[in-house]
Amino acid sequence: MWPSLSGSPSSSPASLSGVEGDFKKDNVYIREFHPSEQEVVRRIFYEGIMERIPNTAFRGLKHQPLIQLIYGIFTIICFVVTKSLLLTCCLPIFLMGMRYYFSRKVILSYLECALHTDMSDIENYYMKPPGSCFWVAVLDGNVVGIVAARGNEEDNTVELRRMSVDSNFRGKGIAKALGRKVLEFAMLNNYSSIILGTTAVKVAAHKLYESLGFKHVGIIEHYTLPGMTHSILERMFFQLRYHRYRLQLREE
Ligand SMILES: CC(C)(COP(=O)(O)OP(=O)(O)OC[C@H]1O[C@@H](n2cnc3c(N)ncnc32)[C@H](O)[C@@H]1OP(=O)(O)O)[C@@H](O)C(=O)NCCC(=O)NCCS
């Protein structure tokens, strides 16, 4: 279980004192992460990723025509072999159950990995290295959204990462404000472009990035997440598409 917002030290308005609120829209502030907010930030991240389980399992299927065909063939074979209408009708339910099971398995293992790497120590991973930062959106004293930036000096890009807004506070422009903060950071630090990758299936994330000026620059089908085994069953029931976006700030 994740701690409730009301009990978190980050939720008290006093925790804002001494920290500059550098974006204000109505009563939403975007400001830098404070270590006392580690748990609430991890909760928002965790919940945002957990939403991917049903989305990837069910909505994701509409982008997989080959898999749809295979499931259709299975259903026909089931009818030919068993001659049972009941069993044939149950097969799609079984297939969807398997999709949910594999989605959950892979996404939980991805979460496990993220919560033990950068999200286990945000201060050290994002706040200390130059060219990186982590921000929170604070609404009425509560942390309700998160985003990170990680600079790459080799190609002079900054990666936007870990964007997530508490589901109770969506549709208020909070993600857009967080995204603009990353844009501002990239410009101030003279990065030439901002890049990001997302496996989100829902349109909200894609519309958000497009509304911030990002261009869709590619898609990787059959994307691999840490923890995937590539077994035949996993390939049959779990597929992920990775979308790459880029916002060019200036020519190199
Ligand atoms: C994607 C997400 C961050 C959007 O947060 P949000 O605070 O509700 O977004 P905003 O209110 O700032 O909306 C910004 C833009 O996103 C788009 N958008 C947001 N919600 C949308 C929805 N439900 N349907 C379609 N477009 C949507 C719109 O273009 C909107 O701009 P507009 O209002 O000017 O048209 C949020 O849904 C979320 O946290 N999802 C789970 C985690 C995730 O998927 N993260 C991003 C992928 S890495």
PDB file of all heavy atoms in Angstrom, residues 52-87:
ATOM      1  N   ARG A  52      -1.591   0.757 -17.258  1.00  0.00           N
ATOM      2  CA  ARG A  52      -1.205   0.173 -18.551  1.00  0.00           C
ATOM      3  C   ARG A  52      -1.614  -1.290 -18.662  1.00  0.00           C
ATOM      4  O   ARG A  52      -1.673  -1.832 -19.767  1.00  0.00           O
ATOM      5  CB  ARG A  52       0.327   0.221 -18.714  1.00  0.00           C
ATOM      6  CG  ARG A  52       0.927   1.569 -18.620  1.00  0.00           C
ATOM      7  CD  ARG A  52       1.023   2.206 -19.997  1.00  0.00           C
ATOM      8  NE  ARG A  52       1.420   3.581 -19.836  1.00  0.00           N
ATOM      9  CZ  ARG A  52       2.664   4.004 -19.878  1.00  0.00           C
ATOM     10  NH1 ARG A  52       3.635   3.150 -20.104  1.00  0.00           N
ATOM     11  NH2 ARG A  52       2.929   5.289 -19.708  1.00  0.00           N
ATOM     12  N   ILE A  53      -1.842  -1.959 -17.520  1.00  0.00           N
ATOM     13  CA  ILE A  53      -2.107  -3.410 -17.589  1.00  0.00           C
ATOM     14  C   ILE A  53      -3.354  -3.690 -18.431  1.00  0.00           C
ATOM     15  O   ILE A  53      -3.245  -4.346 -19.474  1.00  0.00           O
ATOM     16  CB  ILE A  53      -2.175  -4.044 -16.174  1.00  0.00           C
ATOM     17  CG1 ILE A  53      -0.802  -3.929 -15.507  1.00  0.00           C
ATOM     18  CG2 ILE A  53      -2.615  -5.501 -16.262  1.00  0.00           C
ATOM     19  CD1 ILE A  53      -0.745  -4.400 -14.058  1.00  0.00           C
ATOM     20  N   PRO A  54      -4.546  -3.169 -18.054  1.00  0.00           N
ATOM     21  CA  PRO A  54      -5.713  -3.456 -18.912  1.00  0.00           C
ATOM     22  C   PRO A  54      -5.604  -2.797 -20.283  1.00  0.00           C
ATOM     23  O   PRO A  54      -6.037  -3.367 -21.281  1.00  0.00           O
ATOM     24  CB  PRO A  54      -6.893  -2.887 -18.105  1.00  0.00           C
ATOM     25  CG  PRO A  54      -6.284  -1.939 -17.131  1.00  0.00           C
ATOM     26  CD  PRO A  54      -4.903  -2.414 -16.855  1.00  0.00           C
ATOM     27  N   ASN A  55      -4.991  -1.601 -20.320  1.00  0.00           N
ATOM     28  CA  ASN A  55      -4.892  -0.910 -21.612  1.00  0.00           C
ATOM     29  C   ASN A  55      -4.064  -1.707 -22.604  1.00  0.00           C
ATOM     30  O   ASN A  55      -4.412  -1.837 -23.767  1.00  0.00           O
ATOM     31  CB  ASN A  55      -4.274   0.486 -21.440  1.00  0.00           C
ATOM     32  CG  ASN A  55      -5.232   1.421 -20.742  1.00  0.00           C
ATOM     33  OD1 ASN A  55      -6.432   1.236 -20.810  1.00  0.00           O
ATOM     34  ND2 ASN A  55      -4.706   2.421 -20.046  1.00  0.00           N
ATOM     35  N   THR A  56      -2.920  -2.215 -22.145  1.00  0.00           N
ATOM     36  CA  THR A  56      -2.055  -2.978 -23.051  1.00  0.00           C
ATOM     37  C   THR A  56      -2.725  -4.303 -23.427  1.00  0.00           C
ATOM     38  O   THR A  56      -2.687  -4.723 -24.584  1.00  0.00           O
ATOM     39  CB  THR A  56      -0.686  -3.250 -22.383  1.00  0.00           C
ATOM     40  OG1 THR A  56      -0.189  -2.013 -21.880  1.00  0.00           O
ATOM     41  CG2 THR A  56       0.320  -3.829 -23.345  1.00  0.00           C
ATOM     42  N   ALA A  57      -3.363  -4.942 -22.433  1.00  0.00           N
ATOM     43  CA  ALA A  57      -3.975  -6.247 -22.695  1.00  0.00           C
ATOM     44  C   ALA A  57      -5.128  -6.133 -23.687  1.00  0.00           C
ATOM     45  O   ALA A  57      -5.222  -6.933 -24.619  1.00  0.00           O
ATOM     46  CB  ALA A  57      -4.465  -6.858 -21.380  1.00  0.00           C
ATOM     47  N   PHE A  58      -6.001  -5.160 -23.486  1.00  0.00           N
ATOM     48  CA  PHE A  58      -7.239  -5.124 -24.282  1.00  0.00           C
ATOM     49  C   PHE A  58      -7.188  -4.088 -25.413  1.00  0.00           C
ATOM     50  O   PHE A  58      -7.325  -4.441 -26.574  1.00  0.00           O
ATOM     51  CB  PHE A  58      -8.444  -4.896 -23.377  1.00  0.00           C
ATOM     52  CG  PHE A  58      -8.483  -5.874 -22.219  1.00  0.00           C
ATOM     53  CD1 PHE A  58      -8.682  -5.448 -20.914  1.00  0.00           C
ATOM     54  CD2 PHE A  58      -8.301  -7.236 -22.440  1.00  0.00           C
ATOM     55  CE1 PHE A  58      -8.704  -6.358 -19.858  1.00  0.00           C
ATOM     56  CE2 PHE A  58      -8.306  -8.153 -21.388  1.00  0.00           C
ATOM     57  CZ  PHE A  58      -8.512  -7.708 -20.089  1.00  0.00           C
ATOM     58  N   ARG A  59      -6.968  -2.815 -25.080  1.00  0.00           N
ATOM     59  CA  ARG A  59      -6.953  -1.796 -26.144  1.00  0.00           C
ATOM     60  C   ARG A  59      -5.821  -2.035 -27.118  1.00  0.00           C
ATOM     61  O   ARG A  59      -5.929  -1.755 -28.304  1.00  0.00           O
ATOM     62  CB  ARG A  59      -6.764  -0.405 -25.555  1.00  0.00           C
ATOM     63  CG  ARG A  59      -7.982   0.095 -24.823  1.00  0.00           C
ATOM     64  CD  ARG A  59      -7.708   1.512 -24.427  1.00  0.00           C
ATOM     65  NE  ARG A  59      -8.618   1.947 -23.411  1.00  0.00           N
ATOM     66  CZ  ARG A  59      -9.090   3.179 -23.326  1.00  0.00           C
ATOM     67  NH1 ARG A  59      -8.726   4.080 -24.205  1.00  0.00           N
ATOM     68  NH2 ARG A  59      -9.904   3.521 -22.370  1.00  0.00           N
ATOM     69  N   GLY A  60      -4.689  -2.533 -26.569  1.00  0.00           N
ATOM     70  CA  GLY A  60      -3.499  -2.740 -27.403  1.00  0.00           C
ATOM     71  C   GLY A  60      -3.753  -3.741 -28.526  1.00  0.00           C
ATOM     72  O   GLY A  60      -3.101  -3.702 -29.564  1.00  0.00           O
ATOM     73  N   LEU A  61      -4.738  -4.630 -28.328  1.00  0.00           N
ATOM     74  CA  LEU A  61      -5.015  -5.673 -29.318  1.00  0.00           C
ATOM     75  C   LEU A  61      -5.461  -5.079 -30.651  1.00  0.00           C
ATOM     76  O   LEU A  61      -5.227  -5.667 -31.701  1.00  0.00           O
ATOM     77  CB  LEU A  61      -6.085  -6.629 -28.759  1.00  0.00           C
ATOM     78  CG  LEU A  61      -6.417  -7.867 -29.587  1.00  0.00           C
ATOM     79  CD1 LEU A  61      -5.183  -8.712 -29.863  1.00  0.00           C
ATOM     80  CD2 LEU A  61      -7.475  -8.710 -28.888  1.00  0.00           C
ATOM     81  N   LYS A  62      -6.065  -3.906 -30.607  1.00  0.00           N
ATOM     82  CA  LYS A  62      -6.576  -3.354 -31.873  1.00  0.00           C
ATOM     83  C   LYS A  62      -5.442  -2.945 -32.828  1.00  0.00           C
ATOM     84  O   LYS A  62      -5.669  -2.805 -34.021  1.00  0.00           O
ATOM     85  CB  LYS A  62      -7.579  -2.226 -31.612  1.00  0.00           C
ATOM     86  CG  LYS A  62      -7.035  -0.901 -31.281  1.00  0.00           C
ATOM     87  CD  LYS A  62      -8.179   0.111 -31.220  1.00  0.00           C
ATOM     88  CE  LYS A  62      -7.586   1.454 -30.878  1.00  0.00           C
ATOM     89  NZ  LYS A  62      -8.235   2.242 -29.945  1.00  0.00           N
ATOM     90  N   HIS A  63      -4.221  -2.835 -32.300  1.00  0.00           N
ATOM     91  CA  HIS A  63      -3.081  -2.513 -33.173  1.00  0.00           C
ATOM     92  C   HIS A  63      -2.306  -3.763 -33.582  1.00  0.00           C
ATOM     93  O   HIS A  63      -1.192  -3.662 -34.087  1.00  0.00           O
ATOM     94  CB  HIS A  63      -2.125  -1.545 -32.460  1.00  0.00           C
ATOM     95  CG  HIS A  63      -2.792  -0.273 -32.021  1.00  0.00           C
ATOM     96  ND1 HIS A  63      -3.239   0.659 -32.917  1.00  0.00           N
ATOM     97  CD2 HIS A  63      -3.107   0.195 -30.789  1.00  0.00           C
ATOM     98  CE1 HIS A  63      -3.800   1.659 -32.254  1.00  0.00           C
ATOM     99  NE2 HIS A  63      -3.733   1.395 -30.954  1.00  0.00           N
ATOM    100  N   GLN A  64      -2.867  -4.942 -33.305  1.00  0.00           N
ATOM    101  CA  GLN A  64      -2.143  -6.197 -33.575  1.00  0.00           C
ATOM    102  C   GLN A  64      -2.959  -7.095 -34.505  1.00  0.00           C
ATOM    103  O   GLN A  64      -3.510  -8.119 -34.073  1.00  0.00           O
ATOM    104  CB  GLN A  64      -1.867  -6.933 -32.243  1.00  0.00           C
ATOM    105  CG  GLN A  64      -1.121  -6.140 -31.194  1.00  0.00           C
ATOM    106  CD  GLN A  64       0.305  -5.812 -31.621  1.00  0.00           C
ATOM    107  OE1 GLN A  64       0.893  -6.502 -32.446  1.00  0.00           O
ATOM    108  NE2 GLN A  64       0.871  -4.746 -31.072  1.00  0.00           N
ATOM    109  N   PRO A  65      -3.029  -6.755 -35.817  1.00  0.00           N
ATOM    110  CA  PRO A  65      -3.875  -7.548 -36.718  1.00  0.00           C
ATOM    111  C   PRO A  65      -3.455  -9.016 -36.821  1.00  0.00           C
ATOM    112  O   PRO A  65      -4.309  -9.897 -36.903  1.00  0.00           O
ATOM    113  CB  PRO A  65      -3.728  -6.837 -38.078  1.00  0.00           C
ATOM    114  CG  PRO A  65      -2.589  -5.893 -37.929  1.00  0.00           C
ATOM    115  CD  PRO A  65      -2.405  -5.598 -36.489  1.00  0.00           C
ATOM    116  N   LEU A  66      -2.137  -9.288 -36.768  1.00  0.00           N
ATOM    117  CA  LEU A  66      -1.686 -10.677 -36.890  1.00  0.00           C
ATOM    118  C   LEU A  66      -2.172 -11.511 -35.693  1.00  0.00           C
ATOM    119  O   LEU A  66      -2.639 -12.641 -35.850  1.00  0.00           O
ATOM    120  CB  LEU A  66      -0.157 -10.710 -36.987  1.00  0.00           C
ATOM    121  CG  LEU A  66       0.444 -12.100 -37.162  1.00  0.00           C
ATOM    122  CD1 LEU A  66      -0.017 -12.736 -38.469  1.00  0.00           C
ATOM    123  CD2 LEU A  66       1.970 -12.037 -37.120  1.00  0.00           C
ATOM    124  N   ILE A  67      -2.067 -10.914 -34.516  1.00  0.00           N
ATOM    125  CA  ILE A  67      -2.496 -11.630 -33.307  1.00  0.00           C
ATOM    126  C   ILE A  67      -4.015 -11.843 -33.350  1.00  0.00           C
ATOM    127  O   ILE A  67      -4.514 -12.911 -32.992  1.00  0.00           O
ATOM    128  CB  ILE A  67      -2.067 -10.834 -32.045  1.00  0.00           C
ATOM    129  CG1 ILE A  67      -0.536 -10.748 -31.971  1.00  0.00           C
ATOM    130  CG2 ILE A  67      -2.635 -11.431 -30.766  1.00  0.00           C
ATOM    131  CD1 ILE A  67       0.180 -12.067 -31.712  1.00  0.00           C
ATOM    132  N   GLN A  68      -4.744 -10.841 -33.847  1.00  0.00           N
ATOM    133  CA  GLN A  68      -6.203 -10.996 -33.970  1.00  0.00           C
ATOM    134  C   GLN A  68      -6.521 -12.182 -34.874  1.00  0.00           C
ATOM    135  O   GLN A  68      -7.409 -12.985 -34.583  1.00  0.00           O
ATOM    136  CB  GLN A  68      -6.819  -9.734 -34.574  1.00  0.00           C
ATOM    137  CG  GLN A  68      -6.867  -8.557 -33.630  1.00  0.00           C
ATOM    138  CD  GLN A  68      -7.402  -7.308 -34.340  1.00  0.00           C
ATOM    139  OE1 GLN A  68      -8.182  -7.382 -35.275  1.00  0.00           O
ATOM    140  NE2 GLN A  68      -6.963  -6.154 -33.887  1.00  0.00           N
ATOM    141  N   LEU A  69      -5.754 -12.290 -35.969  1.00  0.00           N
ATOM    142  CA  LEU A  69      -5.968 -13.388 -36.917  1.00  0.00           C
ATOM    143  C   LEU A  69      -5.685 -14.733 -36.239  1.00  0.00           C
ATOM    144  O   LEU A  69      -6.462 -15.682 -36.369  1.00  0.00           O
ATOM    145  CB  LEU A  69      -5.052 -13.178 -38.135  1.00  0.00           C
ATOM    146  CG  LEU A  69      -5.165 -14.225 -39.242  1.00  0.00           C
ATOM    147  CD1 LEU A  69      -6.505 -14.076 -39.973  1.00  0.00           C
ATOM    148  CD2 LEU A  69      -4.026 -14.063 -40.250  1.00  0.00           C
ATOM    149  N   ILE A  70      -4.577 -14.776 -35.491  1.00  0.00           N
ATOM    150  CA  ILE A  70      -4.211 -16.034 -34.806  1.00  0.00           C
ATOM    151  C   ILE A  70      -5.309 -16.439 -33.812  1.00  0.00           C
ATOM    152  O   ILE A  70      -5.725 -17.596 -33.764  1.00  0.00           O
ATOM    153  CB  ILE A  70      -2.833 -15.898 -34.112  1.00  0.00           C
ATOM    154  CG1 ILE A  70      -1.739 -15.761 -35.173  1.00  0.00           C
ATOM    155  CG2 ILE A  70      -2.547 -17.081 -33.202  1.00  0.00           C
ATOM    156  CD1 ILE A  70      -0.365 -15.408 -34.621  1.00  0.00           C
ATOM    157  N   TYR A  71      -5.815 -15.457 -33.052  1.00  0.00           N
ATOM    158  CA  TYR A  71      -6.883 -15.763 -32.086  1.00  0.00           C
ATOM    159  C   TYR A  71      -8.132 -16.265 -32.829  1.00  0.00           C
ATOM    160  O   TYR A  71      -8.831 -17.171 -32.361  1.00  0.00           O
ATOM    161  CB  TYR A  71      -7.254 -14.532 -31.250  1.00  0.00           C
ATOM    162  CG  TYR A  71      -6.173 -14.061 -30.269  1.00  0.00           C
ATOM    163  CD1 TYR A  71      -6.354 -12.883 -29.544  1.00  0.00           C
ATOM    164  CD2 TYR A  71      -5.015 -14.782 -30.060  1.00  0.00           C
ATOM    165  CE1 TYR A  71      -5.395 -12.432 -28.645  1.00  0.00           C
ATOM    166  CE2 TYR A  71      -4.041 -14.328 -29.167  1.00  0.00           C
ATOM    167  CZ  TYR A  71      -4.232 -13.152 -28.474  1.00  0.00           C
ATOM    168  OH  TYR A  71      -3.276 -12.707 -27.593  1.00  0.00           O
ATOM    169  N   GLY A  72      -8.407 -15.651 -34.004  1.00  0.00           N
ATOM    170  CA  GLY A  72      -9.568 -16.067 -34.808  1.00  0.00           C
ATOM    171  C   GLY A  72      -9.400 -17.516 -35.271  1.00  0.00           C
ATOM    172  O   GLY A  72     -10.335 -18.321 -35.182  1.00  0.00           O
ATOM    173  N   ILE A  73      -8.163 -17.847 -35.709  1.00  0.00           N
ATOM    174  CA  ILE A  73      -7.894 -19.221 -36.177  1.00  0.00           C
ATOM    175  C   ILE A  73      -8.054 -20.216 -35.019  1.00  0.00           C
ATOM    176  O   ILE A  73      -8.656 -21.269 -35.166  1.00  0.00           O
ATOM    177  CB  ILE A  73      -6.483 -19.303 -36.827  1.00  0.00           C
ATOM    178  CG1 ILE A  73      -6.486 -18.502 -38.136  1.00  0.00           C
ATOM    179  CG2 ILE A  73      -6.071 -20.749 -37.084  1.00  0.00           C
ATOM    180  CD1 ILE A  73      -5.125 -18.290 -38.768  1.00  0.00           C
ATOM    181  N   PHE A  74      -7.545 -19.834 -33.841  1.00  0.00           N
ATOM    182  CA  PHE A  74      -7.700 -20.691 -32.651  1.00  0.00           C
ATOM    183  C   PHE A  74      -9.179 -20.994 -32.405  1.00  0.00           C
ATOM    184  O   PHE A  74      -9.561 -22.113 -32.079  1.00  0.00           O
ATOM    185  CB  PHE A  74      -7.170 -19.973 -31.404  1.00  0.00           C
ATOM    186  CG  PHE A  74      -5.685 -20.071 -31.207  1.00  0.00           C
ATOM    187  CD1 PHE A  74      -5.071 -19.383 -30.168  1.00  0.00           C
ATOM    188  CD2 PHE A  74      -4.898 -20.858 -32.037  1.00  0.00           C
ATOM    189  CE1 PHE A  74      -3.701 -19.444 -29.970  1.00  0.00           C
ATOM    190  CE2 PHE A  74      -3.532 -20.931 -31.846  1.00  0.00           C
ATOM    191  CZ  PHE A  74      -2.934 -20.220 -30.810  1.00  0.00           C
ATOM    192  N   THR A  75     -10.004 -19.950 -32.538  1.00  0.00           N
ATOM    193  CA  THR A  75     -11.429 -20.105 -32.243  1.00  0.00           C
ATOM    194  C   THR A  75     -12.072 -21.078 -33.244  1.00  0.00           C
ATOM    195  O   THR A  75     -12.855 -21.953 -32.848  1.00  0.00           O
ATOM    196  CB  THR A  75     -12.125 -18.719 -32.278  1.00  0.00           C
ATOM    197  OG1 THR A  75     -11.349 -17.816 -31.501  1.00  0.00           O
ATOM    198  CG2 THR A  75     -13.526 -18.776 -31.719  1.00  0.00           C
ATOM    199  N   ILE A  76     -11.682 -20.939 -34.522  1.00  0.00           N
ATOM    200  CA  ILE A  76     -12.254 -21.842 -35.544  1.00  0.00           C
ATOM    201  C   ILE A  76     -11.797 -23.289 -35.264  1.00  0.00           C
ATOM    202  O   ILE A  76     -12.605 -24.221 -35.261  1.00  0.00           O
ATOM    203  CB  ILE A  76     -11.824 -21.392 -36.967  1.00  0.00           C
ATOM    204  CG1 ILE A  76     -12.486 -20.046 -37.283  1.00  0.00           C
ATOM    205  CG2 ILE A  76     -12.213 -22.433 -38.016  1.00  0.00           C
ATOM    206  CD1 ILE A  76     -11.929 -19.331 -38.500  1.00  0.00           C
ATOM    207  N   ILE A  77     -10.497 -23.454 -34.979  1.00  0.00           N
ATOM    208  CA  ILE A  77      -9.968 -24.797 -34.691  1.00  0.00           C
ATOM    209  C   ILE A  77     -10.701 -25.403 -33.487  1.00  0.00           C
ATOM    210  O   ILE A  77     -11.087 -26.568 -33.490  1.00  0.00           O
ATOM    211  CB  ILE A  77      -8.439 -24.762 -34.436  1.00  0.00           C
ATOM    212  CG1 ILE A  77      -7.713 -24.387 -35.729  1.00  0.00           C
ATOM    213  CG2 ILE A  77      -7.923 -26.089 -33.903  1.00  0.00           C
ATOM    214  CD1 ILE A  77      -6.220 -24.162 -35.582  1.00  0.00           C
ATOM    215  N   CYS A  78     -10.928 -24.550 -32.468  1.00  0.00           N
ATOM    216  CA  CYS A  78     -11.615 -25.017 -31.261  1.00  0.00           C
ATOM    217  C   CYS A  78     -12.999 -25.575 -31.633  1.00  0.00           C
ATOM    218  O   CYS A  78     -13.398 -26.650 -31.167  1.00  0.00           O
ATOM    219  CB  CYS A  78     -11.730 -23.870 -30.259  1.00  0.00           C
ATOM    220  SG  CYS A  78     -12.638 -24.296 -28.779  1.00  0.00           S
ATOM    221  N   PHE A  79     -13.712 -24.862 -32.525  1.00  0.00           N
ATOM    222  CA  PHE A  79     -15.058 -25.309 -32.899  1.00  0.00           C
ATOM    223  C   PHE A  79     -14.989 -26.604 -33.707  1.00  0.00           C
ATOM    224  O   PHE A  79     -15.742 -27.548 -33.448  1.00  0.00           O
ATOM    225  CB  PHE A  79     -15.790 -24.222 -33.697  1.00  0.00           C
ATOM    226  CG  PHE A  79     -17.201 -24.609 -34.021  1.00  0.00           C
ATOM    227  CD1 PHE A  79     -18.162 -24.717 -33.007  1.00  0.00           C
ATOM    228  CD2 PHE A  79     -17.572 -24.938 -35.318  1.00  0.00           C
ATOM    229  CE1 PHE A  79     -19.456 -25.106 -33.292  1.00  0.00           C
ATOM    230  CE2 PHE A  79     -18.866 -25.331 -35.607  1.00  0.00           C
ATOM    231  CZ  PHE A  79     -19.814 -25.414 -34.593  1.00  0.00           C
ATOM    232  N   VAL A  80     -14.022 -26.651 -34.664  1.00  0.00           N
ATOM    233  CA  VAL A  80     -13.906 -27.839 -35.525  1.00  0.00           C
ATOM    234  C   VAL A  80     -13.565 -29.072 -34.672  1.00  0.00           C
ATOM    235  O   VAL A  80     -14.130 -30.141 -34.846  1.00  0.00           O
ATOM    236  CB  VAL A  80     -12.829 -27.600 -36.624  1.00  0.00           C
ATOM    237  CG1 VAL A  80     -12.497 -28.872 -37.375  1.00  0.00           C
ATOM    238  CG2 VAL A  80     -13.312 -26.514 -37.584  1.00  0.00           C
ATOM    239  N   VAL A  81     -12.654 -28.910 -33.727  1.00  0.00           N
ATOM    240  CA  VAL A  81     -12.186 -30.051 -32.932  1.00  0.00           C
ATOM    241  C   VAL A  81     -13.225 -30.476 -31.888  1.00  0.00           C
ATOM    242  O   VAL A  81     -13.514 -31.651 -31.741  1.00  0.00           O
ATOM    243  CB  VAL A  81     -10.824 -29.721 -32.266  1.00  0.00           C
ATOM    244  CG1 VAL A  81     -10.419 -30.803 -31.269  1.00  0.00           C
ATOM    245  CG2 VAL A  81      -9.747 -29.548 -33.322  1.00  0.00           C
ATOM    246  N   THR A  82     -13.805 -29.492 -31.180  1.00  0.00           N
ATOM    247  CA  THR A  82     -14.684 -29.856 -30.049  1.00  0.00           C
ATOM    248  C   THR A  82     -16.161 -29.939 -30.451  1.00  0.00           C
ATOM    249  O   THR A  82     -16.956 -30.550 -29.747  1.00  0.00           O
ATOM    250  CB  THR A  82     -14.557 -28.831 -28.908  1.00  0.00           C
ATOM    251  OG1 THR A  82     -15.064 -27.572 -29.378  1.00  0.00           O
ATOM    252  CG2 THR A  82     -13.126 -28.659 -28.437  1.00  0.00           C
ATOM    253  N   LYS A  83     -16.520 -29.276 -31.537  1.00  0.00           N
ATOM    254  CA  LYS A  83     -17.931 -29.174 -31.969  1.00  0.00           C
ATOM    255  C   LYS A  83     -18.811 -28.595 -30.855  1.00  0.00           C
ATOM    256  O   LYS A  83     -20.019 -28.791 -30.829  1.00  0.00           O
ATOM    257  CB  LYS A  83     -18.498 -30.555 -32.367  1.00  0.00           C
ATOM    258  CG  LYS A  83     -17.728 -31.289 -33.444  1.00  0.00           C
ATOM    259  CD  LYS A  83     -18.236 -30.890 -34.824  1.00  0.00           C
ATOM    260  CE  LYS A  83     -17.588 -31.652 -35.952  1.00  0.00           C
ATOM    261  NZ  LYS A  83     -16.154 -31.564 -36.053  1.00  0.00           N
ATOM    262  N   SER A  84     -18.178 -27.924 -29.916  1.00  0.00           N
ATOM    263  CA  SER A  84     -18.944 -27.378 -28.784  1.00  0.00           C
ATOM    264  C   SER A  84     -19.039 -25.864 -28.914  1.00  0.00           C
ATOM    265  O   SER A  84     -18.022 -25.164 -28.913  1.00  0.00           O
ATOM    266  CB  SER A  84     -18.269 -27.765 -27.462  1.00  0.00           C
ATOM    267  OG  SER A  84     -18.709 -26.902 -26.442  1.00  0.00           O
ATOM    268  N   LEU A  85     -20.290 -25.390 -28.972  1.00  0.00           N
ATOM    269  CA  LEU A  85     -20.509 -23.951 -29.075  1.00  0.00           C
ATOM    270  C   LEU A  85     -20.093 -23.270 -27.763  1.00  0.00           C
ATOM    271  O   LEU A  85     -19.533 -22.173 -27.758  1.00  0.00           O
ATOM    272  CB  LEU A  85     -21.996 -23.691 -29.366  1.00  0.00           C
ATOM    273  CG  LEU A  85     -22.294 -22.456 -30.209  1.00  0.00           C
ATOM    274  CD1 LEU A  85     -21.554 -22.484 -31.524  1.00  0.00           C
ATOM    275  CD2 LEU A  85     -23.791 -22.325 -30.444  1.00  0.00           C
ATOM    276  N   LEU A  86     -20.365 -23.968 -26.661  1.00  0.00           N
ATOM    277  CA  LEU A  86     -20.045 -23.405 -25.343  1.00  0.00           C
ATOM    278  C   LEU A  86     -18.534 -23.189 -25.197  1.00  0.00           C
ATOM    279  O   LEU A  86     -18.073 -22.107 -24.831  1.00  0.00           O
ATOM    280  CB  LEU A  86     -20.565 -24.324 -24.239  1.00  0.00           C
ATOM    281  CG  LEU A  86     -20.333 -23.829 -22.816  1.00  0.00           C
ATOM    282  CD1 LEU A  86     -21.199 -22.608 -22.528  1.00  0.00           C
ATOM    283  CD2 LEU A  86     -20.611 -24.917 -21.801  1.00  0.00           C
ATOM    284  N   LEU A  87     -17.768 -24.241 -25.539  1.00  0.00           N
ATOM    285  CA  LEU A  87     -16.297 -24.127 -25.426  1.00  0.00           C
ATOM    286  C   LEU A  87     -15.764 -23.043 -26.368  1.00  0.00           C
ATOM    287  O   LEU A  87     -14.881 -22.265 -26.003  1.00  0.00           O
ATOM    288  CB  LEU A  87     -15.638 -25.468 -25.766  1.00  0.00           C
ATOM    289  CG  LEU A  87     -15.498 -26.462 -24.630  1.00  0.00           C
ATOM    290  CD1 LEU A  87     -14.804 -27.729 -25.126  1.00  0.00           C
ATOM    291  CD2 LEU A  87     -14.678 -25.858 -23.492  1.00  0.00           C
TER     292      LEU A  87
END
